[in-house]
Amino acid sequence: MAKWLNKRTIILILVLFSISFPLVVPNSYFIHVMTLAFIWMIGVYGLNLLAGYTGYLSLAHAGFFAIGAYSLGILTVKQQMNFWLAFILSLLITCAIGFIVGLIALRTKEHFFAIYTLCLGYILYLVIDKWETLTEGVRGLIGIPAPAAIGPITFETEISHYYLVLFFLLLVVFIMYRIIHSLSGRTYIAIRNSEDLAQTIGISTMKNKLTVFVLSTFFAGLSGALYASFVRFIGPDIGSISITFDLLTYLLIGGIGTLSGPLVGTLLIVWLSQFLQDFQQYRMLIFGPVLTLLVIFYPRGIVGAVSSLFLKNKQLHRTTKTSVLSKQTQELQSEEV
């Protein structure tokens, strides 16, 4: 009970900190950076669900991020559609494309799946870059509107957009928590551990993998749509493979296959990148060796390493307590004799 209370307390503190951040730090630049970090977190959660809990590493994640962003941009800028209708349609379009891609991609496994999605991601980037009549090519889409007002609530200011993105992030974290701690979540972990064994006990692996893949693209599309409405301008670069590797870096450093890994990794790297802006040209030279060492010595990232440390301390405490009780029992028995 105390452990659960501690967890709830930590979660409550984090939520309260996020809500009060614009009030505590009334700096528009910091609010802008934090909003972008929240947007990336949503995309990282999608990648974590697929790679961390099902064992399928998709390198086309930036492509689906771009599909969500461009769908919203095209529907609002070119078709003059209502923002929220376009927002919902952009998610549906991303999921529909994700479903079609998943039907083909998930017939491959392990590194073949990663290579296939890598090629797919590059194709999506080329489509966005070259299809100028639809996407405007290298010129990009300009003038994407801010989210339309919901009753008296407007989203024209930096702070209001911050809270809108925070709302979606908390919703995504809640959905992820429910999935992970459900029968479906245990099914995904079983597929990750041994797909052949999962099939022998009657799990429909293809159906579950396809569900996870579509959910992953949904989170990527949501992240892309929020990004487009926040930045108000998008270009082909948002679909490049470098974006996928950035998201993967956030996940690996925070902790793949953990619930809080995307939060920790994204916050750490995004803010560290801001403080190291003078060394942007050496960015990969700095993060590359760090990421390599982390994968070798702490494959589950920072969160996984901390969790393992707490688990070891708990086991050590239990062992010590058991040995002390055993010794006391022996002493009492000897006194009685």
Side-chain angles (χ1 to χ4, degrees):
M1 183 67 181
K3 181 181 177 182
W4 171 243
L5 184 62
N6 289 336
K7 283 184 178 179
R8 288 198 303 175
T9 303
I10 292 171
I11 292 170
L12 183 62
I13 290 172
L14 290 175
V15 172
L16 289 176
F17 171 77
S18 300
I19 293 173
S20 61
F21 181 80
L23 306 176
V24 177
V25 187
N27 185 306
S28 60
Y29 175 73
F30 288 160
I31 294 172
H32 181 89
V33 173
M34 187 65 87
T35 306
L36 284 176
F38 288 166
I39 291 172
W40 293 127
M41 284 176 196
I42 295 172
V44 176
Y45 268 112
L47 189 60
N48 189 33
L49 182 62
L50 183 61
Y53 289 96
T54 315
Y56 279 75
L57 177 60
S58 171
L59 297 179
H61 212 61
F64 292 107
F65 176 88
I67 289 172
Y70 268 92
S71 296
L72 178 71
I74 291 168
L75 291 174
T76 53
V77 174
K78 292 194 169 186
Q79 302 299 321
Q80 298 296 312
M81 191 177 290
N82 173 268
F83 177 86
W84 291 111
L85 179 58
F87 186 83
I88 295 170
L89 285 176
S90 67
L91 302 182
L92 294 176
I93 291 169
T94 308
C95 289
I97 296 174
F99 178 81
I100 296 169
V101 169
L103 284 174
I104 304 170
L106 292 169
R107 296 181 184 277
T108 60
K109 295 181 180 180
E110 298 173 353
H111 55 282
F112 297 107
F113 177 82
I115 293 170
Y116 180 88
T117 53
L118 176 63
C119 297
L120 174 69
Y122 187 66
I123 290 170
L124 290 173
Y125 166 74
L126 288 178
V127 169
I128 293 171
D129 186 50
K130 303 301 180 183
W131 196 353
E132 294 187 3
T133 56
L134 180 68
T135 65
E136 298 299 326
V138 294
R139 294 189 299 274
L141 284 173
I142 304 172
I144 299 172
I150 302 176
I153 304 173
T154 59
F155 303 100
E156 296 291 339
T157 64
E158 197 93 26
I159 293 177
S160 62
H161 215 125
Y162 170 91
Y163 285 116
L164 176 66
V165 174
L166 177 61
F167 167 78
F168 280 108
L169 174 62
L170 293 176
L171 184 62
V172 166
V173 173
F174 176 75
I175 293 171
M176 280 291 297
Y177 178 85
R178 297 294 297 175
I179 291 173
I180 292 168
H181 293 86
S182 67
L183 180 60
S184 296
R186 290 190 286 273
T187 301
Y188 303 151
I189 293 172
I191 293 173
R192 180 194 66 188
N193 293 339
S194 176
E195 190 169 338
D196 294 333
L197 181 59
Q199 286 179 328
T200 60
I201 61 176
I203 294 175
S204 177
T205 54
M206 186 60 184
K207 177 183 175 182
N208 282 281
K209 289 189 299 182
L210 186 58
T211 302
V212 173
F213 191 84
V214 173
L215 275 172
S216 176
T217 60
F218 172 81
F219 288 143
L222 174 61
S223 180
L226 290 172
Y227 179 86
S229 66
F230 179 62
V231 177
R232 314 282 286 276
F233 163 79
I234 51 175
D237 287 346
I238 66 170
S240 66
I241 190 64
S242 61
I243 298 296
T244 296
F245 286 135
D246 283 343
L247 298 176
L248 188 58
T249 301
Y250 301 155
L251 178 59
L252 290 176
I253 289 179
I256 188 170
T258 62
L259 184 61
S260 55
L263 299 175
V264 174
T266 306
L267 274 180
L268 180 64
I269 301 302
V270 166
W271 282 104
L272 193 60
S273 298
Q274 294 301 316
F275 292 124
L276 298 175
Q277 282 187 355
D278 294 337
F279 304 95
Q280 280 298 314
Q281 55 184 333
Y282 307 109
R283 185 169 176 268
M284 294 309 298
L285 213 61
I286 297 171
F287 289 129
V290 173
L291 183 60
T292 303
L293 292 173
L294 194 68
V295 170
I296 293 172
F297 295 104
Y298 299 103
R300 294 192 66 202
I302 295 172
V303 174
V306 172
S307 298
S308 298
L309 182 63
F310 276 113
L311 185 61
K312 286 180 181 178
N313 289 336
K314 188 176 180 180
Q315 290 175 344
L316 181 63
H317 178 71
R318 284 181 177 176
T319 304
T320 306
K321 188 176 181 180
T322 302
S323 61
V324 170
L325 289 173
S326 177
K327 186 177 180 181
Q328 290 176 347
T329 304
Q330 290 176 357
E331 290 176 352
L332 288 173
Q333 286 176 349
S334 62
E335 288 177 2
E336 289 176 359
V337 172

